Amino acid sequence: MNTIAYPRLIKRVRAVLIDSVLVPVAVFGTLILGDALGVSQPYGKALLLLGPIFILEPGLVAFTGGTVGHHLQGIRVTRTDGSSNINILAATVRFVVKLLLGWLSFIFVLTTARHQAVHDLVARSMVVHKDLSGLPAHEVLSERALDRATYVYPPAWRRVIVIVGYAVLATVALSIASALVSSAECAHGRQCTTIEVLLAIALDVLWIVGLGWITVRGWNGTLYGCRRHPRESAESLRSSQ
């Protein structure tokens, strides 16, 4: 039986960046080809637009185990048991969720047991290394597990609720900070200075990093509101009651 090992998040990010360049180029190329062939019907143009996207994303994932970016990075998408590729329906759902959530979906890679993003969880898929030979040790990740021998963790539903609550507060804080650093002209989309643009980018990056920090801390039980407790003290408290 092949050993299942997971790639670092950076490999998945590189795969996405490769695909984010390749897919638009393919779409642009098919649209040019369609114009050259005289395709003018709306349905024909829609097919030229959606065809390359469907083929390069869910199509390749279902039939080859990954997108071009995945293959170039030496990783593949499989079912959660590692037995085979996911089917075309699951691959399509996976792509739609990834498209809707964007980079936020990948935050969960930092905390889930099988290093799954949200779109992996929805599609019941996971991303693994295709071949472990020649890979340095730091590139090979094993399944992540909570330290239940030492700590008692809050229920999963409580951790999720607390994470969502902190995420909402972080989003509100981002909105307030954006309003404070932006002029009226910039806030209404008329004209922003270079400094205002840079500050907006910095705040967005800080927000994404903050969401990652909140998710990891919350799921690991180290965030206020859903903290884990040492098993001995938790058992002593129950016995005293």
Side-chain angles (χ1 to χ4, degrees), residues 1 4 16 30 32-33 68 70 73 82 95 97 112 147 154 157 159 167 171-173 185 223 232 237:
M1 182 177 180
I4 294 177
V16 171
T30 56
I32 292 176
L33 180 62
V68 174
H70 287 135
Q73 289 299 306
F95 169 65
V97 174
T112 48
D147 186 9
W157 62 264
R159 282 177 278 161
T171 303
V172 172
E185 291 77 10
L223 199 63
E232 290 183 359
L237 179 60

Side-chain angles (χ1 to χ4, degrees), residues 165-187:
Y166 274 90
V168 171
L169 291 176
T171 303
V172 172
L174 172 70
S175 300
I176 294 173
S178 298
L180 291 175
V181 301
S182 299
S183 62
E185 291 77 10
C186 184

Side-chain angles (χ1 to χ4, degrees), residues 117-199:
V118 174
H119 51 273
D120 292 313
L121 294 170
V122 172
R124 296 184 178 180
S125 66
M126 62 183 185
V127 177
V128 299
H129 283 293
K130 294 169 69 174
D131 185 7
L132 298 181
S133 59
L135 287 176
H138 70 273
E139 290 285 355
V140 180
L141 304 180
S142 58
E143 187 167 324
R144 187 183 287 121
L146 297 176
D147 186 9
R148 296 189 182 276
T150 308
Y151 297 99
V152 176
Y153 289 83
W157 62 264
R158 180 177 173 182
R159 282 177 278 161
V160 170
I161 289 175
V162 171
I163 288 170
V164 171
Y166 274 90
V168 171
L169 291 176
T171 303
V172 172
L174 172 70
S175 300
I176 294 173
S178 298
L180 291 175
V181 301
S182 299
S183 62
E185 291 77 10
C186 184
H188 290 88
R190 287 194 288 268
Q191 186 175 4
C192 298
T193 64
T194 302
I195 293 178
E196 287 173 329
V197 172
L198 292 176
L199 285 174

Side-chain angles (χ1 to χ4, degrees), residues 4-7 12 78-82 108-117 120-121 124-128 141-145 219:
I4 294 177
Y6 308 93
R12 299 189 61 172
T78 72
R79 298 176 186 269
T80 51
D81 60 3
F108 275 74
V109 173
L110 301 173
T111 189
T112 48
R114 293 179 175 139
H115 305 263
Q116 295 163 289
D120 292 313
L121 294 170
R124 296 184 178 180
S125 66
M126 62 183 185
V127 177
V128 299
L141 304 180
S142 58
E143 187 167 324
R144 187 183 287 121
W219 191 255

